[in-house]
Amino acid sequence: MTSPAAALDHVRDRVDRALREFARRQRAVLLAEGDDLLPAAGAIEGLLAGGKRLRPAFCYWGWRGAGGPDGQEIINAAAALELLHAGALVHDDLMDASDTRRGMPSVHRQFEARHAGGGWLGSPAGFGMGAAILVGDLLLCWTDEMFHASGLPAAALGRGRPVLDRMRTEVFTGQYLDLLGSVAGDETVASALRVVELKTAKYTIERPLHLGAALAGAGAGPDAAASGLTAAYTGYGLPLGVAFQLRDDILGVFGDPAQTGKPAGDDVREGKRTVLLAIARDRATAGQAKVIDRYLGDPLLDEAGTAEIRAAITGTGAVAECERMIGRHVTTAVAALAGAPMTGEARQALAELAVAATARDG
Amino acid sequence: MTSPAAALDHVRDRVDRALREFARRQRAVLLAEGDDLLPAAGAIEGLLAGGKRLRPAFCYWGWRGAGGPDGQEIINAAAALELLHAGALVHDDLMDASDTRRGMPSVHRQFEARHAGGGWLGSPAGFGMGAAILVGDLLLCWTDEMFHASGLPAAALGRGRPVLDRMRTEVFTGQYLDLLGSVAGDETVASALRVVELKTAKYTIERPLHLGAALAGAGAGPDAAASGLTAAYTGYGLPLGVAFQLRDDILGVFGDPAQTGKPAGDDVREGKRTVLLAIARDRATAGQAKVIDRYLGDPLLDEAGTAEIRAAITGTGAVAECERMIGRHVTTAVAALAGAPMTGEARQALAELAVAATARDG
C-alpha cells in the first residue's frame, strides 16, 4: 500500500461493483411491476453510485484483522452497510429539508421536481416526502437482503446478525436524540458529542469493525484474544469516529462544494448543531456570537454571509481547537491497535484508514 | 375449533405475548441511551398492542399446512411480520396525514403534541414527521432482528429469507404505485385493483403463507407436492386478499369507529382511492357523482356529509357489488385449497381464516 488512501481504495472499487450488481438485480425486480418504478430505480442507483464506502471498509478490515480471508463474500456483506447508510441519508435529508446529496438533488427534491413537471394533483412536497420515505424504506430493507445473500456461511451470518441489529437501533436512536436536542435548543458541547458517539463513532467505525470481527468468529465465544480484539476495535473506533465527525463539521462550514457534494456553508444554512459550532459558541465574544446567531439556520445565506460567519467561527479559535482534537483522537485511535491480537496487514490498513477518513481533503 | 375466528385466536394470543416480550427487551436497549427514548418506546408498545395479527396467522398456518410442527419458534418468526406492518403503518399514516391508528393518535400526531406541549423550537409538524420516520425505521429494522432471533434453525431462515425480501419490496412498490396513482388522478377500477394486489393480497396473505411454507421446507426444492402447495397458497391468497381489501373499503366508509379504531367515514375524509369508490364512480348518476366529488377528500367532513355520501355510494349499487365480489372471491379462495397437498387441520384453519378476515363485523 503506497498511500494513506490505499486501504480505502482497495475495498471501495470492489464494494462499488457489488452494489452495482445488487442494484441491477433489484432494478429488474422493481420493473417487473411496470415502468412506473423507473424513477425510483434511477434515484437509488444514483445514490448508490457515490460515497466513500467507509463503513464497508471498516467492516472488511475488521474481518481481516480477526483473521478472515479475503473474498467476495465479505465484500458483499460489508457492502450491505452502504444500503443501510443510503436509506438513512434519504430519510435524514427529508427531515433536514436538505436540497442536495452527493452532488445531486436529494431524493425528496427529485420527486418534488417530477411532480411539479408532471402537473400532477396535490402538493409536490407531499409527493416528494412520500416517495423519499418509500425509497428509504426499500433501501433499509435491502440491507438485510444483501447481507444474508452475501454468500457467507449461515453460522457466520448468525454471529454477525446481533451486531448489525444493535448498530441499527443505535443509529436511529442517535438520530432521534439529535432531533430532540435541536428542538430543545440544547447547544452544549457535551450534548453534541453524545450524538456524535451514537450517530457517527459507533455507527460509522466501531460497529462495522465489530461486525467484521463477529462474522470472522472473533468475540463470539469465550476466547480471550478475540474479546481483546473487540476491545481494541472500540478503543480505535470511538475516538476515530469523533475525529471523523469533527472533520465533517469543518468541511460542512469551510469545505469546497466540488469536494463535499454540498453547497458552500450548507451546515450553516441548515442550522446543524455540530461540535464545531458548539465550541465556537462557547468561546465567542459578544460580537462573534451575534454574527453566528444571525446566519445560523438562514436558508437564504449567500456568499458574503458565508464569508462573514466563517471569519467569526475561525476568530473564536474553534477551528484550531477542532484540528487539535482531530490530531489527538487519531493518535489515540491508532495507539489502541498497537498491542491488539490482529494481523499486521490489518493494523497497517486501519492506521491508513484513520488518516484517510480524517484528512483535510475529505 | 368452534368458531370461524378460532383459527385466528389460536395464533393471536401467542403472537401478542411474543411481541410484548420483544418490545420489553427493546425498551431496555432504547432506555440504555437515556430516558429521552421513553416516548419512542411507549409509542412502539402502544402500536404493537393492537392489530388482528392476520399476517402472523397466515404465516403460521402456511407453516402448519406444509407439515411444520407447532412451537414457539414459528410464532416468533411469524410475529416479526407485525413489526414490518407496524413500521409501514407509521410511515403510511405520515404520508396520508392520518390522525388516528388503532384508536390512538397516529405516531406523528403523538410527537407533534409532545412538541407543542413542550414549547420547543421549530415546528411541531416537523418534529412529528422526524420522529415518525425514525420510529418507523426502527420497526422495519426490528423485523429482521426478531425473525433471525426466532429460534428457527439457520437452514429454515435461509429458505424463508428470499420470501421475506420479496414481500417487502412488493409492499413498498405497491405503496409507491398507490402514491403515484393518487397524484396522477388515476381512478379506474383496474388501477385500484393493481394496488390491492401488491399492497394487500400479496403482502397480507399470499407472501405470509409462502413464508411459512418456505420456513417449513416446502417449495424450496424440485418437490412436486411442495410446489403444488405454494401454488395452492397463491390460488387462495390472491382472491382472499382482494376480498379482505373490499371489506376494508366498505368499513372505511360505513364502519363503526368503535370497531375500526378510525373516525366514521375516515377513508372519505382522506380521499382514499379504493376499489369501492372506483366502482361507485363508474356507476354513479350525475347527481351521485356530484355528492361523491363534493365530500371525497374533504378534511372537514361532518356527520351530515358522511350520511349523504354513504347514501350516494349505496345508491350506485357499489356496496352490493362489493359484497358479491367478496362472496365470490372467498369461495374461489377456499376452493383452491381443496386438492392441495396439505394437512387437514391447516385446510380447516385457512377456511376459517378466510371467513374471519372478511366478516362484516371486521
Side-chain angles (χ1 to χ4, degrees), chain A residues 33 36 91 95 111 120-121 130 137 140-142 144-145 148 161 165 168-169 172-173 176 183 185 194, chain B residues 33 36 91 95 111 120-121 137 140-142 144-145 148 161 165 168-169 172-173 176 183 185 194:
Chain A
E33 310 298 347
D36 285 345
H91 285 175
M95 289 188 262
F111 284 87
W120 290 336
L121 303 173
D137 288 350
L140 293 181
C141 293
W142 288 355
D144 303 277
E145 181 165 350
H148 284 282
R161 186 75 232 171
D165 292 334
R168 293 209 285 200
T169 296
F172 293 118
T173 300
Y176 178 75
V183 299
R194 179 183 178 212
Chain B
E33 310 298 346
D36 285 345
H91 286 175
M95 288 188 263
F111 284 86
W120 289 335
L121 303 172
D137 288 350
L140 293 181
C141 293
W142 288 355
D144 303 276
E145 181 165 349
H148 285 281
R161 186 76 233 171
D165 292 335
R168 294 211 284 198
T169 296
F172 294 118
T173 300
Y176 178 76
V183 299
R194 180 185 178 210

Side-chain angles (χ1 to χ4, degrees), chain A residues 15 71 74 78-79 88 106 124 137 164 180 185 214 223 245 263 276-277 280 306 308 341 358:
Chain A
V15 167
I74 183 61
S106 50
D137 288 350
L164 180 59
L180 201 63
D223 178 335
Q245 186 57 55
L276 169 69
L277 283 164
T306 303
E308 215 180 320
T358 56

